[in-house]
Amino acid sequence: MAQWTSAVGAAQLARLLNSQQDRPAGPGTRRPPAYRALADGVRLLVLEGRVPVAARLPAERELALALSVSRTTVAAAYEALRAEGFLESRRGAGSWTAVPAGNPLPARGLEPLPPEALGSVIDLGTAALPAPEPWLTRAVQGALEELPPYAHTHGDYPAGLPVLRAMIADRYTARGIPTMPEQIMVTTGAMGAIDAICHLFGGRGERIAVESPSYANILQLMREAGARLVPVAMAEGLTGWDMDRWRQVLREAAPRIAYVVADFHNPTGALADEDQRRRLVDAARSAGTVLVADETMSELWLDDGVEMPRPVCGFDPAGSTVVTVGSASKAFWAGMRIGWVRAAPDVIRSLVAARAYADLGTPVVEQLAVNWLFGTGGWEQAVEVRRAQARQNRDDLLAAVRRELPGWEFEVPRGGLTLWVRAGGLSGSRLAEAGERVGVRVPSGPRFGVDGAFEGYVRLPFTVGGAVAEEAAARLAAAARLVEAGASGGTESPRTFVA
């Protein structure tokens, strides 16, 4: 990358380096020189995503003071990182993190497997469950009963069907956020909503601040729109959002848009508390940044006693700073491609006007089906079934992974559909490649980062349970053995499985 887009202070970097657990050296193993240990520590932080790519590192003298080492040690570490491609420097601009061009990146996206492959491969690539029946069938039948009046029209509703816009607005109002139908636009899924928002506010070359890690498909969408992504590292574990870091990035990088998943974050499962939400909205407002809040997971709490904070838009009810995106695809069914945007009326009007050059509108029958679900109580019943299914799958998968891969590390989220796993020091990209050979498809960590970060992670969705979850974990363990054997120069034949 040509220049840094965020900065890491000396004290912050020292804390991150000190938080790394030293692994005991084997018998007869000599400890590396201090500069080498420092370079390896920074490299690991970059690959794990705890320090973003394109983050400006502190000056040598500042970091030496924070770490209580000599400036020569820091200078040698920086030089080693430059030689390995993990650091770039320019006179007068400082040094910033990078990832070498040859760093392995996953070759595949998160698109679902074709039906013919489902019998032989366990698909952990997509976080989507089968439709909750009988509510899908009932919703479609209810939609068909309401269809005749609309069949006599042209069928194009760029802002969405008025009845559904009013229904969605009423649901926000019931959550304590007064909303008019004029603040709602119905879209073709959440992806369609975010694509429209990026084209309205972003434009090619505009900066967009994103969580690091973040949802892989959204990151790719933004890249293809020509955005310059500014990663903001998530805090460790499920604590989620580092507000000091967010305020610094919004102030210094001045991104046009910031994209966050505050409700059971994808992929980590973190849930932002009310204070984090309030401070994030305040920081975005002060920076003049449009804050896009993706709440597609907001109804997928899995544990009893989870108290959901106010929605992010609850701290900006007029919608002047926060643009909210919702969807039926995660909470109900991925095949129900209905999403929506909640924003200020003038923003909605601009989005609707721009839609004439995109998809013109969202399918009418699907809108009527979602409206039927919302209006009859079917939505709540279906989502409760979805929660129970995801909860059981989560518990089954956790037990299987703990048994088969005890060295893998994770924190258990209380909601959402995904588990973010540190893969015991193995390369996530190589695990994904080996998984293809043994019959399990898993997305590697770099899919969820910017420019190759999170190499040591994989994401596991709560989409399989019971015996299938056990088999998936066994295949992941076989993939891990293949990666370890490859790293040591050995070989191992993949196990033969019966799907």
Side-chain angles (χ1 to χ4, degrees):
M1 301 181 70
Q3 201 167 14
W4 58 275
T5 56
S6 61
V8 180
Q12 177 187 358
L13 183 56
R15 286 195 302 271
L16 291 170
L17 288 165
N18 290 332
S19 71
Q20 295 175 335
Q21 295 182 352
D22 292 330
R23 297 186 177 182
T29 302
R30 298 179 60 184
R31 298 183 68 86
Y35 85 89
R36 184 67 262 171
L38 175 56
D40 289 345
V42 173
R43 177 176 56 81
L44 182 60
L45 288 172
V46 172
L47 289 176
E48 290 184 342
R50 297 174 68 191
V51 169
V53 175
R56 187 176 187 269
L57 295 186
E60 295 171 1
R61 188 185 303 276
E62 295 174 357
L63 186 57
L65 184 62
L67 293 173
S68 299
V69 299
S70 70
R71 182 177 176 182
T72 302
T73 296
V74 177
Y78 277 14
E79 181 58 36
L81 289 168
R82 275 190 289 268
E84 296 163 4
F86 285 93
L87 198 68
E88 296 182 13
S89 303
R90 180 180 299 165
R91 186 177 298 276
S95 299
W96 55 93
T97 57
V99 170
N103 199 60
L105 290 173
R108 299 192 179 189
L110 302 183
E111 70 279 358
L113 280 174
E116 61 269 17
L118 294 177
S120 59
V121 178
I122 298 176
D123 186 8
L124 299 181
T126 57
L129 292 163
E133 287 288 26
W135 289 275
L136 175 61
T137 298
R138 290 177 182 173
V140 173
Q141 290 171 343
L144 293 176
E145 292 174 2
E146 299 294 329
L147 182 60
Y150 297 94
H152 295 290
T153 73
H154 49 64
D156 287 335
Y157 296 88
L161 294 182
V163 292
L164 182 55
R165 296 177 71 196
M167 183 69 76
I168 295 171
D170 289 345
R171 290 174 64 85
Y172 278 107
T173 300
R175 295 166 69 187
I177 307 153
T179 304
M180 304 178 295
E182 292 80 7
Q183 290 179 263
I184 302 296
M185 181 178 82
V186 181
T187 62
T188 307
M191 293 288 288
I194 294 171
D195 182 58
I197 293 166
C198 289
H199 281 90
L200 177 64
F201 290 108
R204 187 163 294 276
E206 289 281 3
R207 290 181 175 180
I208 300 179
V210 295
E211 297 146 327
S212 183
S214 187
Y215 179 34
N217 288 339
I218 293 295
L219 295 180
Q220 189 59 32
L221 182 155
M222 291 174 175
R223 291 187 188 100
E224 292 180 359
R228 298 171 59 192
L229 300 184
V230 182
V232 185
M234 298 283 284
E236 191 70 12
L238 295 179
T239 55
W241 293 260
D242 184 329
M243 288 300 104
D244 292 336
R245 194 174 297 173
W246 267 101
R247 187 173 291 278
Q248 178 187 18
V249 169
L250 294 180
R251 182 179 63 247
E252 296 180 358
R256 186 70 182 94
I257 299 172
Y259 169 77
V260 298
V261 186
D263 300 290
F264 306 119
H265 175 261
N266 186 353
T268 68
L271 176 66
D273 61 32
E274 289 215 359
D275 182 63
Q276 290 172 324
R277 295 168 191 239
R278 179 184 299 106
R279 293 175 64 188
L280 186 57
V281 173
D282 289 345
R285 184 181 293 115
S286 298
T289 297
V290 175
L291 180 61
V292 179
D294 183 337
E295 60 175 23
T296 54
M297 296 280 192
S298 64
E299 297 189 64
L300 290 176
W301 62 86
L302 304 183
D303 293 338
D304 294 334
V306 176
E307 294 187 10
M308 292 300 296
R310 275 188 291 170
V312 176
C313 60
F315 301 95
D316 178 50
S320 57
T321 296
V322 178
V323 176
T324 302
V325 173
S327 172
S329 299
K330 292 297 185 184
F332 186 75
W333 183 47
M336 188 68 77
R337 304 304 304 164
I338 299 295
W340 53 86
V341 178
R342 182 198 180 277
D346 62 316
V347 173
I348 295 298
R349 287 192 294 270
S350 297
L351 288 170
V352 171
R355 198 170 193 180
Y357 308 101
D359 61 357
L360 293 178
T362 302
V364 170
V365 174
E366 284 86 340
Q367 291 187 72
L368 289 172
V370 172
N371 191 65
W372 184 92
L373 288 165
F374 285 158
T376 62
W379 177 268
E380 286 72 22
Q381 297 177 66
V383 172
E384 183 55 42
V385 170
R386 172 68 78 235
R387 292 191 197 108
Q389 186 179 13
R391 183 187 306 116
Q392 186 62 58
N393 287 351
R394 179 196 64 180
D395 296 346
D396 291 346
L397 185 65
L398 292 177
V401 171
R402 283 170 173 153
R403 181 176 60 254
E404 296 286 345
L405 295 151
W408 287 20
E409 303 171 45
F410 51 83
E411 291 195 38
V412 182
R414 304 191 68 189
L417 292 173
T418 57
L419 184 70
W420 187 235
V421 182
R422 193 195 304 258
L426 300 179
S427 161
S429 296
R430 292 187 172 88
L431 277 169
E433 181 182 8
E436 298 278 353
R437 298 165 58 190
V438 298
V440 61
R441 183 169 180 257
V442 59
S444 63
R447 299 296 305 175
F448 304 89
V450 175
D451 294 333
F454 305 107
E455 183 56 58
Y457 289 79
V458 293
R459 189 196 74 172
L460 305 180
F462 308 144
T463 52
V464 297
V468 180
E470 295 177 4
E471 183 65 15
R475 297 187 188 193
L476 286 172
R481 291 192 294 271
L482 285 174
V483 173
E484 290 170 343
S488 64
T491 60
E492 178 175 328
S493 298
R495 185 179 146 197
T496 300
F497 298 102
V498 178

